[in-house]
């Protein structure tokens, strides 16, 4: 799974660099066969309707698969590997919990504020210790991970967890690192590090990554579902890390529902429902039915596009249908 050069780097070397710089990165951590296999195990990005199984969810311009440990054996093997756990132990001590995990695909138009992850409140930092791991599963040339080198050891003059673009440009423009890298690349960083995904729009591009985090605080963890066929036994370190017999208080990220889907995802779900309706003699495609579908997509700005009243465009998709979507479905 790990590429030969990365496998030869000791956990202590990585831990030392995290302490000094707030991060460690490597452009060839996973071999290409492992990347291909993992993406295949995650499966396509789609909202499953009335489906028994694990599926992705849509939140604005990003797809998320939260329960990766139930879906991909390779993701399970990676997240519970000795190398990952040794890095965690070197930074956090003997006891730490897997707090968050997800496979995600970001499309054009997504936007993320500069922020820190050491928080148990959306707006304020807290005295928490932890690490975030990101493995690139596509070549990342847009939407790259950006961070402020060394920001894990200074307070930025505030205990705020979120920062404006103007503030970062004024205070730290000379310390911004943009991590453009090929598929298989890796970065691990201290959760106190100020970071974001660089915004991008207007181009036909998607980036996908495996993301997971760990903290020494044992309760700030999301629920974990595990496919038991992925292992035949767990030692005490992994049982604690995965939360066996422990409680958690964090919800699965992100919190989603019908209204968090962007217009393309909504259109595909409506098409699926409409096709089934037609198969049982219910015509949902006419204007009298309350909405219409053209070219397999929901016409979100049509006067006929009514579902129990007008549906506003999604705030989490930039308050608009993306320019790319308009061009493809003019």
């Amino acid at each position: 799974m790990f590429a030969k050069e990365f496998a030869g780097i000791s956990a202590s070397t990585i831990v030392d660099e995290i302490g000094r710089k707030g991060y460690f990165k490597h452009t060839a951590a996973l071999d290409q066969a492992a990347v291909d296999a993992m993406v295949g195990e995650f499966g396509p990005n789609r909202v499953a309707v009335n489906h028994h199984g694990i599926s992705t969810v849509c939140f604005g311009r990003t797809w998320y698969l939260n329960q990766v440990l139930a879906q991909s054996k390779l993701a399970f093997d990676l997240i519970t590997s000795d190398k990952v756990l040794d890095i965690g132990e070197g930074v956090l001590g003997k006891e730490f919990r897997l707090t968050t995990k997800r496979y995600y695909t970001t499309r054009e138009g997504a936007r993320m504020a500069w922020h820190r992850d050491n928080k148990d409140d959306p707006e304020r930092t807290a005295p928490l210790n932890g690490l975030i791991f990101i493995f690139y599963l596509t070549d990342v040339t847009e939407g790259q991970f950006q961070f402020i080198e060394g920001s894990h050891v200074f307070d930025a003059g505030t205990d705020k967890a979120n920062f404006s673009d103007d503030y970062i440009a004024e205070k730290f423009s000379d310390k911004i690192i943009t991590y453009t890298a090929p598929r298989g690349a890796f970065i691990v960083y201290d959760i106190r590090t100020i970071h974001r995904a660089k915004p991008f729009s207007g181009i036909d591009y998607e980036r996908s990554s495996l993301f997971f985090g760990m903290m020494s605080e044992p309760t700030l963890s999301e629920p974990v579902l595990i496919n038991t066929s992925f292992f035949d036994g767990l030692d005490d370190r992994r049982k604690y890390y995965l939360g066996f017999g422990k409680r958690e208080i964090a919800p699965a990220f992100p919190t989603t529902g019908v209204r968090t889907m962007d217009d393309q995802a909504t259109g595909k779900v409506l098409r699926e429902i409409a096709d089934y309706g037609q198969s049982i003699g219910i015509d949902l495609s006419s204007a009298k039915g309350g909405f219409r579908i053209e070219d397999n997509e929901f016409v979100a700005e049509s006067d006929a596009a009514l579902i129990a009243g007008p549906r506003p465009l999604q705030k989490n998709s930039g308050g608009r249908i993306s320019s790319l979507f308009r061009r493809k479905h003019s």
Side-chain angles (χ1 to χ4, degrees):
M1 173 174 27
F2 292 122
K4 184 176 181 180
E5 182 182 348
F6 178 71
I9 301 173
S10 68
S12 61
T13 297
I14 297 172
V15 169
D16 288 345
E17 190 156 326
I18 294 171
R20 290 185 292 105
K21 300 168 64 176
Y23 69 95
F24 174 89
K25 58 185 176 68
H26 196 281
T27 57
L30 297 179
D31 65 47
Q32 296 302 299
V35 173
D36 289 338
M38 192 182 300
V39 171
E41 288 176 345
F42 288 142
N45 288 317
R46 62 182 295 272
V47 176
V49 178
N50 203 28
H51 168 71
H52 243 323
I54 305 296
S55 70
T56 53
V57 296
C58 182
F59 189 90
R61 301 298 298 162
T62 305
W63 292 98
Y64 292 94
L65 178 66
N66 182 282
Q67 299 296 352
V68 295
L69 300 181
Q71 187 73 10
S72 167
K73 185 178 189 307
L74 276 165
F76 178 87
D77 291 343
L78 173 58
I79 292 172
T80 62
S81 65
D82 284 336
K83 195 169 195 74
V84 164
L85 295 180
D86 288 346
I87 293 168
E89 186 171 322
V91 175
L92 303 174
K94 290 289 187 181
E95 294 186 341
F96 52 92
R97 285 280 303 276
L98 179 69
T99 52
T100 185
K101 68 274 176 263
R102 50 188 175 265
Y103 165 64
Y104 64 88
T105 299
T106 299
R107 295 166 287 166
E108 67 94 24
R111 186 167 183 83
M112 176 187 294
W114 288 98
H115 66 284
R116 283 173 157 155
D117 292 329
N118 59 322
K119 54 190 177 184
D120 56 6
D121 175 276
E123 300 299 329
R124 299 287 172 182
T125 59
L128 299 169
N129 296 317
L131 294 173
I132 298 292
F133 294 73
I134 300 176
F135 289 86
Y136 285 0
L137 301 181
T138 53
D139 293 334
V140 176
T141 58
E142 301 289 341
Q144 308 95 317
F145 182 75
Q146 291 185 303
F147 58 99
I148 311 300
E149 182 168 348
S151 56
H152 68 303
V153 294
F154 57 77
D155 63 10
T158 176
D159 64 350
K160 289 178 61 177
N162 303 305
F163 305 88
S164 70
D165 292 355
D166 290 342
Y167 181 87
I168 296 298
E170 178 186 351
K171 299 289 187 181
F172 309 116
S173 61
D174 61 332
K175 291 184 171 60
I176 296 175
I177 294 178
T178 300
Y179 190 37
T180 301
R183 67 201 302 262
F186 157 75
I187 185 167
V188 54
Y189 62 92
D190 189 302
I191 62 172
R192 296 171 294 176
T193 299
I194 300 172
H195 64 279
R196 72 168 182 178
K198 186 178 180 181
F200 68 99
S201 61
I203 60 173
D204 190 1
Y205 173 79
E206 297 180 349
R207 66 175 181 87
S208 297
S209 299
L210 175 66
F211 171 109
F212 59 95
M214 55 180 65
M215 285 188 190
S216 52
E217 166 53 51
T219 62
L220 296 178
S221 301
E222 298 173 352
V224 176
L225 302 181
I226 301 174
N227 186 329
T228 57
S229 71
F230 293 166
F231 61 93
D232 57 9
L234 293 172
D235 57 21
D236 289 342
R237 178 164 78 156
R238 286 171 174 80
K239 287 179 182 177
Y240 187 93
Y241 172 60
L242 295 172
F244 277 72
K246 309 294 183 183
R247 70 184 185 96
E248 68 278 324
I249 62 173
F253 181 90
T255 302
T256 57
V258 172
R259 293 183 181 276
T260 70
M261 293 193 295
D262 76 349
D263 301 290
Q264 288 129 302
T266 302
K268 290 174 182 176
V269 171
L270 290 173
R271 179 72 265 171
E272 189 174 340
I273 293 172
D275 286 346
Y276 175 69
Q278 289 179 343
S279 75
I280 60 174
I282 300 174
D283 183 8
L284 300 177
S285 62
S286 67
K288 291 181 180 180
F291 64 92
R292 63 190 174 88
I293 296 171
E294 293 181 358
D295 298 329
N296 295 330
E297 298 292 352
F298 180 47
V299 182
E301 293 181 315
S302 165
D303 290 338
L306 303 174
I307 303 177
R311 176 179 181 271
L313 295 178
Q314 293 296 311
K315 291 182 179 179
N316 55 37
S317 62
R320 57 175 174 75
I321 300 178
S322 72
S323 59
L324 178 65
F325 179 68
R326 291 182 190 279
R327 292 197 298 274
K328 284 186 173 180
H329 306 280
S330 59

